[in-house]
Amino acid sequence: PANAHIMFIGEAPGFHEDQQAIPFVGAAGRLLEELLASINLTREQVFITNIVKCRPPDNRDPQPDEIAACRPYLDGQIARIAPKVIVTLGRFSMQLAYTGVSISRVHGQPKRIGDIVYVPMFHPAAALHQPRYRSLIEQDFSRLPELVSGMQDIASDDQRSAPPEQLSLF
């Protein structure tokens, strides 16, 4: 929805996403829907997108020039939706808010930038390819309602952002 309070940003369309022009409709999308359901949300209540809008050849990782080329479109989506929380799914979208760190070190740790709280998480596909990540993703998702209800306590990098009003998404 155009007024979603929470936005999920993945990496790039996979085969099924490319065919249907809808993000997260393959196996990773089904897992994302399960994770949303575990916190009483549906995909209709959140906005889901990717940092790269076209499927990279051979389903490879997005290249820096591809990310840069799609960035104005993503920035436009963020500006129009104006989410309170952005959950980055995977290491490439994590770089919107976190640079020079590993997703293994910062997953689930919220960070405020301006009026938006960013929460980095492993991509659902990581749990499908490496089952050890599933419990980490589930734990991070289970904390989302708590993070959202305590958003005013999440500090910005510069500590100058005014705290937002209490927000409840759940």
Side-chain angles (χ1 to χ4, degrees):
N3 63 348
H5 291 293
I6 188 165
M7 177 182 275
F8 289 84
I9 303 175
E11 296 181 357
F15 175 80
H16 297 287
E17 292 81 5
D18 196 43
Q19 296 296 308
Q20 297 179 43
I22 300 171
F24 285 88
V25 293
R30 287 189 293 280
L31 178 53
L32 179 59
E33 288 178 2
E34 287 177 34
L35 293 164
L36 289 169
S38 75
I39 56 172
N40 299 313
L41 286 175
T42 65
R43 77 180 295 136
E44 291 77 25
Q45 294 173 289
V46 300
F47 191 87
I48 304 171
T49 191
N50 287 303
I51 58 165
V52 173
K53 308 306 179 182
C54 300
R55 185 171 189 230
D58 300 320
N59 206 35
R60 64 162 165 68
D61 288 342
Q63 299 295 307
D65 62 327
E66 295 166 335
I67 293 170
C70 293
R71 184 65 190 257
Y73 187 80
L74 178 62
D75 289 344
Q77 288 179 306
I78 293 169
R80 285 178 188 88
I81 301 299
K84 302 295 181 193
V85 176
I86 292 179
V87 177
T88 62
L89 298 170
R91 61 191 167 125
F92 292 98
S93 60
M94 176 190 77
Q95 293 173 4
L96 293 169
Y98 297 78
T99 57
V101 294
S102 154
I103 194 165
S104 299
R105 296 190 60 175
V106 298
H107 71 90
Q109 298 176 30
K111 175 181 183 178
R112 178 182 304 283
I113 299 176
D115 293 331
I116 300 173
V117 172
Y118 288 79
V119 183
M121 293 191 189
F122 288 102
H123 195 286
L128 298 174
H129 299 298
Q130 297 181 32
R132 64 185 174 162
Y133 290 124
R134 182 157 185 146
S135 64
L136 294 174
I137 294 170
E138 290 171 345
Q139 289 170 13
D140 289 346
F141 259 83
S142 72
R143 290 189 55 231
L144 270 178
E146 173 190 337
L147 291 174
V148 170
S149 68
M151 279 180 55
Q152 70 278 3
D153 298 327
I154 299 171
S156 65
D157 282 346
D158 61 6
Q159 297 293 318
R160 290 185 299 231
S161 294
E165 71 238 29
Q166 184 72 17
L167 174 69
S168 176
L169 302 178
F170 304 92

